[in-house]
Structure formats: C-alpha cells, structure tokens
Amino acid sequence: MELWHSHLLREKVDQSSLLVQGNRACALGALDAGVRFFAGYPITPSSEIMEAMAYELPRVGGVFIQMEDEIASICACIGASMSGWLAMTATSGPGFSLMQEAIGYAIMVEAPLVVVDVMREGPSTGRVSVPSQGDVMQARWGTHGDHPAIVLAASNVADMYRLTMAAVRFAQRFRTPVTLLSDEVVSHMRESFSPELVDRYRLTSGDFDFTPGYLNPELAREVHTPHVLGSETHPHVTGCTHDETGFPTSDAGKSEGFLRELYDKVTNHRDELCLYDMKNEGKGRVCIVAYGSCARSARAAWRLAEQEGLPVEVLHLYTLFPLPVEIIQQVARRVEFMVIPELNLGQYAREVRKLAENWTTVVGINKIGGNLITPREILDQVARLIGKYESV
Amino acid sequence: MTGTSGAPRKRTRSTLGPDAPPARSRAGLLADRDFVEVRLGGSGGQGVVLMGIILATAANHDGRCVVQTESYGPEARGGYSRSDVIIAGAPIDYPKLDNADLLVALSQDSAQGYVKSLRRNGVLIYDSEIVKNPPAFAGTSIGLPFSLWAKEETGRIQATNVVALGAVARITGVVSVQSIQEAVSEAVPAGTSEVNLKALGRGLAVDPAEWQTDQD
C-alpha cells in the first residue's frame, strides 16, 4: 500500500516528490543514518516506525526484534549498542515511562542509541490517537539522578527524516541516548516530501564513523573511550559510578568528576546541539516560541500576523534540551512578550520563563484535549497582549 | 483562511526537476480553488483513511502540496473514522482543517456531525444508500448511491470508497482524473487493481444529469 523499500522510495524521490507518512520518514532517516538494530514493542501512534524497520532491516543486513515489552526493548538496544550496533527504538508515552530506568543505565554506560517517543494524550493509556506534548519533561527528567539529556522535537515529515539523522549523529558523537519527540499528528500525517531534502541531509559513510570506536580528539577529555563488548579488550561495563578502568569507584572525587563529565559533555556543546529556526528576526514585539506540531500553528499565525500588521517573530525550536539558553535570552532581551503554545500545561514555558523572566513576560497557551492550537488562537493572544483588540 | 496566506514559496514545475510531467488539467466545482480543505468521514472499516491517502497521493501527482491527517476511534470496525486532506499551491503550515470546502460522507453520523465544518460555499457529497436523512446544507449537496454502484460494478461493497473517489474527482476536480487513476492503482492491495479501477471508473462515469437534479 505505501512504499516500504527505502531504495524504492529513493528512486521515486529522485524523480519527483512523494507522499510520505511521518513515521515512515523517521524509519527512512534511521536507515539512511546507519541504524541497523531495532528492538521494540508496538504502540499507537509509533507502530509504523517499527513496522517499517521490521520490513527493511533484514534487507540491509540489520537486525529487528519484537521484544516482550518496552523494558526489554530498550535493554536489547543497549546491549546491541555496546556490541557495536547502531540501535534505535520507538514508543509512545506509556512505553517511554517503562524505558526510563534503562535510559539512565545507557547514560551511565555511555551507550549511544536513539529513542523516538511519539507523544499521545496521557497519563496512562489516555487516548491513543490524539496528539499531545505531555512527555517533554519526562524526556528531560524521566530517569533518576543528575544526568544530561539531548531531546529533539519534530514538526513535520521532513523533520522526522532529518532530525532522526541528527539524533543518530548526536548519539554517536556524545555517546549518550538521544530522544526524538514527535506527536500523533506529525507521525501519522502524510505530506509531500521533496527530493532536495533527502539530498541535503543524506550522509555518506565518510561523514561519520558509525562504528562505536568513534572518538573525536577534541572531545577526548569529555567523552569517554567506548567500551565494546566482543572486542579484543575486555571492558567492564557497569551502572555503578565508575572510574577510567570501568570498575566501580567509591572515591568521592572520582565520582563527582565522572558525573560532571557526563553532564558537561552535553551542556558544553550547546552551540552544536541547539537547532532552531528564527522567523522575522528582530522585527517583533512578541515572539512565539514553539516546537513540534505547535510550531506549525505558530508559523501559520506569523503569516496571518503579517497580513494584519502585527509585529510577531517566531522562534521554532528543534532542540529542546540541552536548553538553547543563548537564543532564548537573546530574543528575551528584545521582545516584550514571549508566547509559548504547547499541548501540555506549560512544561516548556516553565523552562523558558526561568531563562527569560528578567527581560520579558512569558505567556503560555495550553491545550490538553487532543486538538491542536489554531493559528487564530495564538494570534488572538498576541493581539490581546499588545492591545490591538480590533484584530480579534 | 489559515495555513498558506502570505507569500510562501510556490511549488513550481522547476522545483520538481526537468523530468516532471506537464501540469494536469482539472475541471469541476472546486477546481479553481488554490487552497482546498477536504474532509472524508465514515465509520471504521469503510476505508475512509485509505480514501484520504489516495486523494492525497493524487494531489501530489498533480504537483500540488498536500497534508493528510486522520482521526479514528479505538475500534477496528464501527466507531467514527475520518481523514482530512489539505491541498494547496504552496507548503502548508497548519495541518488541520479549518473549514471544509468538500465533505464526503459515507455514514449518517458523519454527514450529520461534520456538515457544520463545511464552508457556506462548500460541497457535500454523500452516499444516498446509507445517508437516508441528509442534513440540511445551504451549499451544493449531492447524494449518489456509491455502495449500490460498488455492488453492481464489482460485486463488493468494499469498493464503495473507490467509487466515491471517482465521483469526487469528476464532480469537484480537486484532483485530476489521470492522477486519481494512478493513485488508486498504486495504493490498493496487489491483485485487486482491476476491480478497484473498475469501481473508480464507475465513479468517474457519473453523469452530471444524475447529480445536478439534487440541487435547487
């Protein structure tokens, strides 16, 4: 029914544009980035990623396993990652909760892997086929302890492709799990997918070394050398705080040093990790800060605002964590209001407020009923804030 | 109107490459609208989501920008099911329907429930075999016996959605005839292409005299 084969998709894409579902684009991005291991457990609205991987991976020499649950899925991915495979799993909120303990383990043993969380209404089973952005803070703080997190958010089908690639790249480079957040709308929608895009983001084998021996000399102090199971060295891998030998340490100084290194290897590279897009830069009194499907509403609201003469900027964030501190503070210094539309009760607005409240007023627009925030709703709020009631 | 106002990048033939086919001609009630929002409604199991995929694929073949979304209840059969397709000349920001230009209803509930989302100058097309009490609608309202035609033409009531698509392409022109034919043969399961193209042909063969009697 839909195109399964990525090589077939590639041929088609080279000719003209194609209609691709968000989840399929994610699977395609993963395959193009070199992911060759997928373990998962199906859950709406992420199942199509797994379905596509089940079909594709055996054809490209990869391994696909359906596990008995999400805990087993992520543990299989960690095992694969430690033995040299580039691994990925995909789930939704309930499954993501189950994975949290093991994500902490992956951070501790520095296993690169990608977790895709397609958000649906929660908590618990919630409603399976409606969008939400309720897992933002779970993606940041779901596992225990002080830890780094790299969290990306996709807003359209093209993002699902290129951000999956970016997630793989970040995971490899920083040797840590990377979470890609999507939601039901972005994952289930089908959209025209243009050929230029694939070319622009296609990685060649020379761009990155997908074997886990990858080590950037500049990162040598911050990123630990990888432990590869099955190699001639016999690494010791443990979730206990360990020293450079890989064995547990009870030395307070070493512990603190190691944990800080884990944290710093991510937060010291914000410049590289923070992806965003700015519209109408420097021309607005109000900046709409948005991510995921809300960013689409924000862009549409900006186009409406242009017609109605309202001074609006849009900051579209692709990276939620590590926090894009610099761009948020830069914008906060010049605008009167920051409006943050979210399909949750203000999870990310709280983070932005902490960074921006010295300079500007942060206002949330929140919806948790499963409907998207409309461009008109955003614009009404903007108009109210700058006192132009006539546009309502 | 939300979504593609302003002056975003137009999708032109040149961006599709030198080998892109020439623009396909479309004719019908909605053919001249640059931004068209279509809602397809029915109950689970009728193939409403597949209808949306086929319509969106056809619009993509026409060289237009398209976003297709879907919404359904947890049931495998029964319950509500709906698919929204936005077709435009430029990239689409807001992916959900604002107001529909066209509603295709394959069940009484969806006709009744979604008629509110139609623009005043929109078009309502429904299966007159199933929707026995068509809702009051001031715009163009067209009832055609899709499920009856599907049974007559193919012997299978499952082909109703494809018959309806044919009629939609013919009456509204939101997609070209050539593109919908290609999209149907690409989308249906292997081995059913012939039956489905037959069903599509029945829809495409709808005679203006058959449906125009329904208005004023």
Side-chain angles (χ1 to χ4, degrees):
Chain A
M1 170 175 127
E2 273 180 89
L3 289 152
W4 292 98
H5 298 275
S6 50
H7 66 268
L8 187 65
L9 180 54
R10 180 85 38 71
E11 281 160 21
K12 283 270 194 174
V13 159
D14 288 345
Q15 287 166 18
S16 141
S17 82
L18 195 80
L19 193 74
V20 181
Q21 194 198 36
N23 278 340
R24 295 264 192 271
C26 174
L28 182 64
L31 291 162
D32 278 0
V35 170
R36 289 296 177 269
F37 182 93
F38 188 103
Y41 187 79
I43 181 170
T44 305
S46 76
S47 302
E48 292 86 358
I49 299 174
M50 183 171 170
E51 209 180 357
M53 293 305 255
Y55 195 88
E56 294 289 352
L57 277 175
R59 285 164 173 74
V60 294
V63 173
F64 170 88
I65 317 177
Q66 174 168 341
M67 301 301 289
E68 68 268 33
D69 61 23
E70 287 86 350
I71 299 175
S73 303
I74 186 125
C75 291
C77 286
I78 294 170
S81 176
M82 290 194 303
S83 32
W85 293 74
L86 199 40
M88 180 172 115
T89 186
T91 186
S92 182
F96 194 45
S97 298
L98 287 173
M99 290 180 181
Q100 290 303 333
E101 186 193 357
I103 288 175
Y105 181 78
I107 293 168
M108 196 59 141
V109 304
E110 299 182 82
L113 60 98
V114 174
V115 182
V116 183
D117 173 20
V118 183
M119 296 181 283
R120 68 187 209 190
E121 196 177 288
S124 189
T125 311
R127 280 196 293 161
V128 303
S129 61
V130 300
S132 150
Q133 294 179 326
D135 298 352
V136 171
M137 290 316 286
Q138 183 180 208
R140 175 63 190 89
W141 288 115
T143 197
H144 58 276
D146 276 301
H147 59 269
I150 302 176
V151 181
L152 310 179
S155 67
N156 57 37
V157 170
D159 278 359
M160 288 297 274
Y161 179 81
R162 66 192 190 95
L163 290 183
T164 303
M165 287 194 143
V168 172
R169 191 169 74 209
F170 292 155
Q172 280 293 104
R173 177 155 155 72
F174 296 99
R175 302 197 56 77
T176 191
V178 174
T179 306
L180 172 63
L181 293 178
S182 169
D183 62 52
E184 187 275 336
V185 167
V186 175
S187 275
H188 276 171
M189 73 161 66
R190 289 170 186 82
E191 225 176 354
S192 310
F193 186 69
S194 95
E196 306 125 60
L197 187 111
V198 174
D199 286 337
R200 198 173 337 142
Y201 295 102
R202 185 181 296 161
L203 303 176
T204 59
S205 55
D207 288 348
F208 296 97
D209 183 351
F210 289 119
T211 61
Y214 175 75
L215 187 69
N216 184 330
E218 293 156 32
L219 282 175
R221 280 199 39 223
E222 293 141 344
V223 181
H224 283 221
T225 46
H227 324 283
V228 187
L229 298 181
S231 63
E232 65 279 10
T233 53
H234 295 283
H236 186 264
V237 178
T238 175
C240 295
T241 309
H242 44 274
D243 60 16
E244 62 280 2
T245 66
F247 285 91
T249 176
S250 49
D251 183 302
K254 281 185 174 177
S255 288
E256 171 135 5
F258 172 64
L259 295 174
R260 279 191 188 278
E261 268 182 28
L262 277 189
Y263 198 83
D264 290 346
K265 74 176 177 185
V266 171
T267 49
N268 286 354
H269 294 90
R270 283 186 216 272
D271 285 355
E272 186 182 338
L273 287 165
C274 293
L275 310 171
Y276 62 88
D277 182 29
M278 191 81 221
K279 292 281 176 211
N280 212 20
E281 186 169 3
K283 298 194 190 109
R285 287 172 62 194
V286 176
C287 181
I288 308 169
V289 183
Y291 57 90
S293 50
C294 285
R296 299 181 68 120
S297 310
R299 281 166 181 259
W302 162 61
R303 293 195 201 287
L304 279 176
E306 296 245 292
Q307 289 178 340
E308 297 178 16
L310 292 168
V312 170
E313 296 179 16
V314 175
L315 173 57
H316 180 171
L317 298 175
Y318 298 107
T319 303
L320 301 184
F321 299 100
L323 276 169
V325 176
E326 200 174 322
I327 183 69
I328 288 174
Q329 294 195 332
Q330 197 182 315
V331 172
R333 284 193 188 95
R334 66 168 185 253
V335 298
E336 293 163 44
F337 300 97
M338 275 181 156
V339 172
I340 308 187
E342 285 182 278
L343 300 178
N344 58 44
L345 292 177
Q347 296 188 14
Y348 202 70
R350 204 177 297 133
E351 296 300 307
V352 175
R353 192 171 289 124
K354 284 186 224 165
L355 295 174
E357 65 186 353
N358 282 350
W359 298 286
T360 190
T361 307
V362 177
V363 182
I365 301 176
N366 308 103
K367 251 192 195 180
I368 51 172
N371 288 329
L372 290 189
I373 295 168
T374 66
R376 181 49 69 185
E377 283 168 339
I378 296 175
L379 212 61
D380 284 351
Q381 179 64 273
V382 169
R384 261 194 296 279
L385 289 173
I386 60 178
K388 276 197 154 188
Y389 292 96
E390 66 269 27
S391 100
V392 175
Chain B
M1 183 174 107
T2 56
T4 57
S5 42
R9 181 170 54 91
K10 278 269 178 192
R11 191 170 167 204
T12 59
R13 308 311 304 173
S14 64
T15 62
L16 295 177
D19 298 333
R24 293 167 177 183
S25 66
R26 297 178 286 115
L29 295 175
L30 300 171
D32 55 344
R33 292 194 197 174
D34 185 54
F35 187 88
V36 187
E37 296 173 278
V38 183
R39 170 159 290 180
L40 311 163
S43 64
Q46 284 184 310
V48 169
V49 170
L50 180 60
M51 261 176 102
I53 296 171
I54 294 174
L55 195 66
T57 307
N60 199 53
H61 285 323
D62 283 337
R64 312 245 282 153
C65 290
V66 57
V67 171
Q68 179 263 341
T69 56
E70 59 208 42
S71 176
Y72 45 81
E75 307 90 344
R77 296 281 180 278
Y80 78 101
S81 178
R82 131 188 139 206
S83 181
D84 295 342
V85 182
I86 304 177
I87 302 169
I92 297 154
D93 284 319
Y94 186 62
K96 288 278 184 179
L97 211 87
D98 193 17
N99 283 114
D101 297 282
L102 168 64
L103 168 63
V104 182
L106 297 185
S107 73
Q108 180 71 44
D109 285 350
S110 63
Q112 211 74 47
Y114 297 139
V115 74
K116 292 189 292 289
S117 63
L118 265 174
R119 278 180 221 284
R120 223 168 292 164
N121 60 353
V123 178
L124 165 65
I125 298 179
Y126 59 91
D127 187 334
S128 55
E129 288 293 293
I130 301 170
V131 183
K132 291 295 182 193
N133 301 305
F137 176 57
T140 312
S141 179
I142 301 166
L144 294 167
F146 299 131
S147 43
L148 183 70
W149 290 348
K151 266 183 278 182
E152 283 174 0
E153 199 69 25
T154 68
R156 301 184 191 185
I157 196 164
Q158 288 93 324
T160 305
N161 56 351
V162 178
V163 174
L165 273 176
V168 164
R170 172 65 72 210
I171 295 169
T172 66
V174 291
V175 294
S176 68
V177 170
Q178 191 191 343
S179 295
I180 195 92
Q181 283 167 336
E182 285 174 15
V184 165
S185 36
E186 284 167 26
V188 298
T192 65
S193 181
E194 199 185 331
V195 161
N196 277 296
L197 286 175
K198 219 169 146 194
L200 184 74
R202 180 63 190 92
L204 283 170
V206 61
D207 180 0
E210 283 178 292
W211 55 270
Q212 277 173 348
T213 51
D214 205 68
Q215 329 169 50
D216 347 276

